């Protein structure tokens, strides 16, 4: 398994439970993943080194956690050597690697999404604002670690944000900017697995993108999540499969880019039905943590079926309970985080919670913060409120003076539960 974040810790934890997984390696991993797998010093950008390791150690399945190696074509390099891999090809990973690619595909396939314009210069983008009403949705075309979206409330904010984007604030990701129609509604996440032909629904979740309570402040990679998302009813899920997921898989296959892996659809539930906000070509982070907490099926078996074109008839079974995760982040996030802060987990896991490590490292025998999002404190319950209480009780038992978290993860569903 390749990766080092909270998503990868959750995947390693679940993969290690599989009867078919006799040995699990992780590169580069983190201190939490080290509890589940043997860590190895591989660089995912060095395709030859990854291939050599797999061949030497007779690896039966490679799971690529983050998006960058997928967009870089690592899955193609592995498949060319006959090594089964969970994750899409470089061509198919454009669904996440390029916002413009996905918008154009939606247009060709008739998939409901926001109106948009692709722009490649500040002048072109500024002129394109005339075609939209405020608020303006501005997206860096390429990978920006989940932070490449700006919602500008007025024209002045939009022009300043565009100048920032084209000025290099997102590096190469901002060389092209997609301007979109603002969609009103509630956001939710829908996951499906596909081997390019068969498609298996694989759970729902709701993420909390903004850094502050009440969904205030700048966008982040995600400050918490819960699963399932009751707002995505069974009827809506069927509609999402029919109108969004299935046309995507069919179109990708027809155009010579068959998609294999997980399709993570970020959705806006509008008055006229679900519409696609964007696709990700890997599990969400922190949505993966709550999905894996609920998953009762053998993850390694499912992923291998996906990787080898044998997904037909396979299903994912999830516990009939809610899982909720709270992200503990380092001060300064989503800007420059303060690294090196000491962390003491004490007995936080001894009371019904599971802690997934995201940005952690060991320094002189001490667990310290090494990234922006540091820990995912995860708990289950019969309701969102019950899972929320258990998770925050565990948060209270963690000593992390250099960290912070939102205090309202799951707030929408808690309000709906308590109004009944």
């Amino acid at each position: 398994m390749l990766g080092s974040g909270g998503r990868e810790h959750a995947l390693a934890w679940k993969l290690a439970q599989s009867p078919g997984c006799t040995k699990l390696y992780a590169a580069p991993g983190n201190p939490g993943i080290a509890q589940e797998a043997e860590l190895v010093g591989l660089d995912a950008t060095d395709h030859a080194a990854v291939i050599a390791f797999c061949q030497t150690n007779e690896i039966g399945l490679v799971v690529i956690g983050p998006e960058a190696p997928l967009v870089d074509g690592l899955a193609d390099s592995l498949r060319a050597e006959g090594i089964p891999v969970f994750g899409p090809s470089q061509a198919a990973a454009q669904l996440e690697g390029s916002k413009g690619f996905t918008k154009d595909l939606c247009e060709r396939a008739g998939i409901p999404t926001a109106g948009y314009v692709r722009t490649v210069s500040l002048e072109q983008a500024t002129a394109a604002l005339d075609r939209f009403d405020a608020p303006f949705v501005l997206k860096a075309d390429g990978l920006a670690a989940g932070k490449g979206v700006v919602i500008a409330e007025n024209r002045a904010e939009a022009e300043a944000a565009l100048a920032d984007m084209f000025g290099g604030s997102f590096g190469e990701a901002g060389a092209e900017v997609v301007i979109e129609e603002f969609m009103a509604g509630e956001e939710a996440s829908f996951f499906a697995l596909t081997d390019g032909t068969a498609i298996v629904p694989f759970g729902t979740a709701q993420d909390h993108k903004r850094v502050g309570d009440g969904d205030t402040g700048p966008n982040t990679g995600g400050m918490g999540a819960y699963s399932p998302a009751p707002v995505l009813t069974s009827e809506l899920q069927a509609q999402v499969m029919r109108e969004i997921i299935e046309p995507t898989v069919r179109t990708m296959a027809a155009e010579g880019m068959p998609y294999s892996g997980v399709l993570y659809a970020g959705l806006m539930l509008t008055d006229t039905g679900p519409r696609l906000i964007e696709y990700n070509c890997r599990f969400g982070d922190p949505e993966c943590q709550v999905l894996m907490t609920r998953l009762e099926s053998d993850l390694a078996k499912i992923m291998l079926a996906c990787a080898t074109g044998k997904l037909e008839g396979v299903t994912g079974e999830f516990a009939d309970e809610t899982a909720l995760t709270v992200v503990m982040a380092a001060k300064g996030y989503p800007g420059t985080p303060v690294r090196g802060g000491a962390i003491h987990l004490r007995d936080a896991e001894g009371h019904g919670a599971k802690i997934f490590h995201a940005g952690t490292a060991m320094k002189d025998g001490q667990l310290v913060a090494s990234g922006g999002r540091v820990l995912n404190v995860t708990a289950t319950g019969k309701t969102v409120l019950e899972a929320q209480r258990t998770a925050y009780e565990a948060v209270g038992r963690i000593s992390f003076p250099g960290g912070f978290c939102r205090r309202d993860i799951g707030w929408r569903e808690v309000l709906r539960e308590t109004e009944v």
Side-chain angles (χ1 to χ4, degrees):
M1 191 201 63
L2 294 163
S4 62
R7 164 184 50 224
E8 286 77 33
H9 187 184
L11 291 174
W13 173 71
K14 187 55 68 172
L15 286 167
Q17 296 170 21
S18 169
C21 181
T22 55
K23 179 70 177 180
L24 179 62
Y25 297 96
N30 65 36
I33 295 171
Q35 299 167 19
E36 313 292 346
E38 180 180 328
L39 304 191
V40 291
L42 280 176
D43 178 358
T45 64
D46 187 342
H47 295 197
V50 176
I51 290 166
F53 179 88
C54 292
Q55 291 172 335
T56 300
N57 293 278
E58 300 181 334
I59 299 300
L61 175 66
V62 177
V63 176
I64 302 175
E67 61 274 19
L70 294 166
V71 173
D72 186 45
L74 179 58
D76 303 78
S77 298
L78 289 163
R79 286 194 183 100
E81 297 298 325
I83 300 165
V85 55
F86 181 85
S89 67
Q90 184 173 40
Q94 290 180 92
L95 279 177
E96 178 165 4
S98 170
K99 303 288 194 302
F101 172 89
T102 300
K103 300 300 287 190
D104 289 350
L105 180 128
C106 287
E107 193 166 61
R108 294 194 302 275
I111 293 166
T113 188
Y116 72 104
V117 173
R118 299 178 71 168
T119 66
V120 295
S121 70
L122 179 58
E123 295 73 24
Q124 187 184 18
T126 303
L129 292 175
D130 293 338
R131 299 169 58 175
F132 297 88
D133 297 323
F136 303 93
V137 181
L138 317 172
K139 296 182 176 181
D141 181 70
L143 298 180
K147 303 172 203 166
V149 179
V150 175
I151 299 175
E153 296 299 328
N154 54 55
R155 176 84 183 217
E157 281 185 24
E159 290 182 357
L162 288 172
D164 197 37
M165 285 176 156
F166 282 108
S169 62
F170 295 112
E172 292 181 8
E176 179 176 331
V177 174
V178 177
I179 303 174
E180 291 188 9
E181 161 201 10
F182 179 81
M183 295 188 290
E186 188 168 340
E187 290 188 39
S189 301
F190 182 90
F191 297 85
L193 302 183
T194 178
D195 58 8
T197 306
I199 308 170
V200 176
F202 207 68
T204 65
Q206 191 165 61
D207 187 18
H208 297 63
K209 280 296 205 188
R210 303 280 188 153
V211 72
D213 286 6
D215 294 324
T216 56
N219 268 340
T220 70
M223 293 301 293
Y226 64 91
S227 174
V231 70
L232 270 173
T233 62
S234 56
E235 291 79 14
L236 280 176
Q237 290 183 54
Q239 187 178 354
V240 170
M241 284 289 287
R242 185 174 64 250
E243 297 180 2
I244 297 176
I245 303 295
E246 290 171 3
T248 299
V249 174
R250 284 198 307 269
T251 302
M252 294 290 284
E255 295 183 357
M257 299 173 285
Y259 192 98
S260 173
V262 60
L263 260 183
Y264 158 22
L267 305 170
M268 186 67 76
L269 306 181
T270 72
D271 291 341
T272 57
R275 299 170 80 185
L276 181 71
I277 301 171
E278 63 183 18
Y279 271 128
N280 293 302
C281 59
R282 37 70 190 179
F283 281 106
D285 189 345
E287 294 97 330
C288 183
Q289 290 82 313
V290 288
L291 285 175
M292 293 303 112
T293 301
R294 293 182 55 234
L295 182 65
E296 295 181 325
S297 301
D298 184 332
L299 180 64
K301 185 177 179 180
I302 293 172
M303 285 182 159
L304 185 61
C306 197
T308 55
K310 298 175 181 176
L311 196 62
E312 187 67 45
V314 174
T315 58
E317 301 297 329
F318 291 87
D320 186 19
E321 61 183 4
T322 292
L324 182 144
T325 190
V326 177
V327 170
M328 298 189 75
K331 287 177 182 175
Y333 181 78
T336 303
V338 178
R339 300 172 191 267
I343 303 164
H344 296 277
L345 299 180
R346 297 187 288 203
D347 64 341
E349 280 194 315
H351 301 268
K354 172 67 182 172
I355 297 169
F356 295 112
H357 291 234
T360 66
M362 295 300 293
K363 184 179 180 182
D364 300 326
Q366 170 66 57
L367 188 67
V368 299
S370 65
R373 294 184 297 168
V374 179
L375 299 171
N376 309 130
V377 184
T378 312
T380 58
K382 292 184 176 65
T383 64
V384 175
L385 179 60
E386 186 178 308
Q388 182 194 62
R389 283 174 175 162
T390 304
Y392 280 112
E393 284 170 7
V395 167
R397 285 188 284 272
I398 296 170
S399 172
F400 180 21
F404 73 96
C405 67
R406 278 183 58 165
R407 292 283 165 181
D408 65 345
I409 301 303
W411 68 269
R412 288 185 188 85
E413 203 54 44
V414 168
L415 276 177
R416 285 191 277 258
E417 287 177 355
T418 53
E419 281 172 357
V420 174

